[in-house]
Each structure stands twice: as C-alpha cells, then as structure tokens.
Amino acid sequence: MAAIYRSCRPESTGSRGKIPRDGAFRLRPRKPNSKYTKIHQTWNDILFRSNKTGQVVIRGPPQFASKEDEREYQKQHLAVAFRALARQGYDEALSGHISLRDPVNPKHFWTNPLSKHFAMMRASDLVLADEHGHVLPGGTQRPFNVAAFAIHSEIHKARPDVNAACHAHSIHGRAFSCFGKPLEMIFQDALKM
C-alpha cells in the first residue's frame, strides 16, 4: 500500500485539500502510464465513494431490540478480540485477559476462562462473573484467572464509563519493561507496544 501512496497524489480541485463536488476523493498517478493506474482506479471505486447526495456515510454502532441481543453481539466481539490478540502474539501461557461489562447487569463482567487459549475462544466459552469474584449462571461454569478478577473488577468498579479492559503480555512490552523507563508517547506508533 505504501507504493500506492507514493505513486499517487490528490487530483487538483482548484483549492488544495478540498474534496471534489461529487464527494469522491480520487488519486491520480504521477505518470500517465504508471503500473499503479489499475490499482488507483480500484481505490477510487471502492474506498473513497460517497452516496448519491455526495455525503460519505460512516457506519455507526448497531441498534439492538433488547439488552440480550446487545449482550450476544458484544460477547461475539469479545471472542474475536481474544483471537486478534492471539494472532498478534499477545497470548502467553495463562497470562493476559480481557473483560467486558455486561450490558444486562452493569455490575457483572465477562472474561476468559482459565487455561483456554485465546486463539480458541468462542462466545460460548466466556465466563460471567460478579464484582465479588463469583462465577454466575449464563456463562460457562469454569474458573477464571484470579489476576483478571483482581485487576479488572477494580477497574469496572472505579470506572462505570469503561466497558472493557485488556491486559496482555506481549514480547515487545516485556522486553521494553526490562529497561525500567517510561514509554514516551511522542508518536502514535508508540501506543502499539
């Protein structure tokens, strides 16, 4: 993708930085016979298109008929988040966890069961726990990580506006922590640790 951006530039619209009247942001190759011509046409057709009125429509969060539907949707996305962490290498043995506040009862939260690998997580595997550490009916009846409860229950108690929390043990994060220095947030990529 970097090659596409280097070989293309925005079309002239009379005023630098403005989007054309039809709402489509087009990329123009620097050379007319560029090997990127076909690629940039695809980008124009797919990524930068607007609707008939010229407005770009961005999908918002879904609306649910009931709290139970919202719960199922969020549990499915939580399971996918576990799989995404596994794919990025943020799963180490039994370390790491994500918790999600339950939309039906905000004093309860969903988390991963003990000894279930992140890459194998399904919505039906998640454990429902209360703020006192009790496994509740509605989720799988398996124990969960005590460290997850200690950290995440306090976060959910202290911050009712926070719906989810994640604690991961990445190779890069552990290696950097050996230096004992704070992470400087001088650019966005520093947040990927």
Side-chain angles (χ1 to χ4, degrees):
M1 283 199 289
I4 295 170
Y5 290 122
R6 274 186 259 135
S7 68
C8 304
R9 62 182 172 184
E11 279 187 12
S12 173
T13 59
S15 175
R16 189 175 184 132
K18 280 192 170 180
I19 295 176
R21 285 185 164 230
D22 66 357
F25 181 78
R26 293 184 183 84
L27 298 175
R28 182 177 65 187
R30 289 187 176 164
K31 300 175 197 166
N33 296 328
S34 170
K35 64 181 177 178
Y36 300 108
T37 303
K38 189 171 184 176
I39 295 171
H40 100 279
Q41 288 171 349
T42 304
W43 279 76
N44 286 339
D45 293 339
I46 297 172
L47 293 180
F48 301 108
R49 278 299 191 204
S50 60
N51 63 12
K52 291 179 183 179
T53 62
Q55 297 175 346
V56 176
V57 179
I58 298 174
R59 185 177 73 166
Q63 302 298 318
F64 300 99
S66 68
K67 289 290 187 183
E68 285 75 20
D69 292 343
E70 183 177 2
R71 171 192 274 176
E72 195 57 36
Y73 175 85
Q74 288 186 3
K75 283 175 56 182
Q76 290 169 355
H77 281 75
L78 179 57
V80 170
F82 278 110
R83 291 177 179 203
L85 284 179
R87 183 174 234 170
Q88 295 297 322
Y90 293 161
D91 54 341
E92 164 118 10
L94 300 177
S95 300
H97 30 270
I98 307 173
S99 64
L100 171 71
R101 188 182 302 279
D102 185 39
V104 175
N105 187 340
K107 292 188 177 184
H108 299 162
F109 61 91
W110 294 92
T111 190
N112 54 309
L114 192 63
S115 73
K116 178 79 172 181
H117 194 272
F118 285 6
M120 306 296 287
M121 198 67 62
R122 296 174 302 182
S124 60
D125 296 326
L126 298 171
V127 177
L128 180 62
D130 65 8
E131 58 188 2
H132 304 292
H134 300 117
V135 175
L136 302 172
T140 188
Q141 298 297 301
R142 292 180 56 193
F144 58 89
N145 193 326
V146 177
F149 170 73
I151 296 168
H152 292 251
S153 65
E154 293 302 318
I155 292 170
H156 288 291
K157 277 189 227 174
R159 296 288 306 272
D161 58 320
V162 172
N163 285 331
C166 175
H167 175 182
H169 294 255
S170 69
I171 294 171
H172 310 294
R174 286 179 300 147
F176 191 84
S177 69
C178 293
F179 294 119
K181 293 182 177 181
L183 185 63
E184 294 182 30
M185 303 297 177
I186 56 175
F187 58 97
Q188 184 176 357
D189 292 340
L191 301 175
K192 291 184 179 178
M193 293 285 290

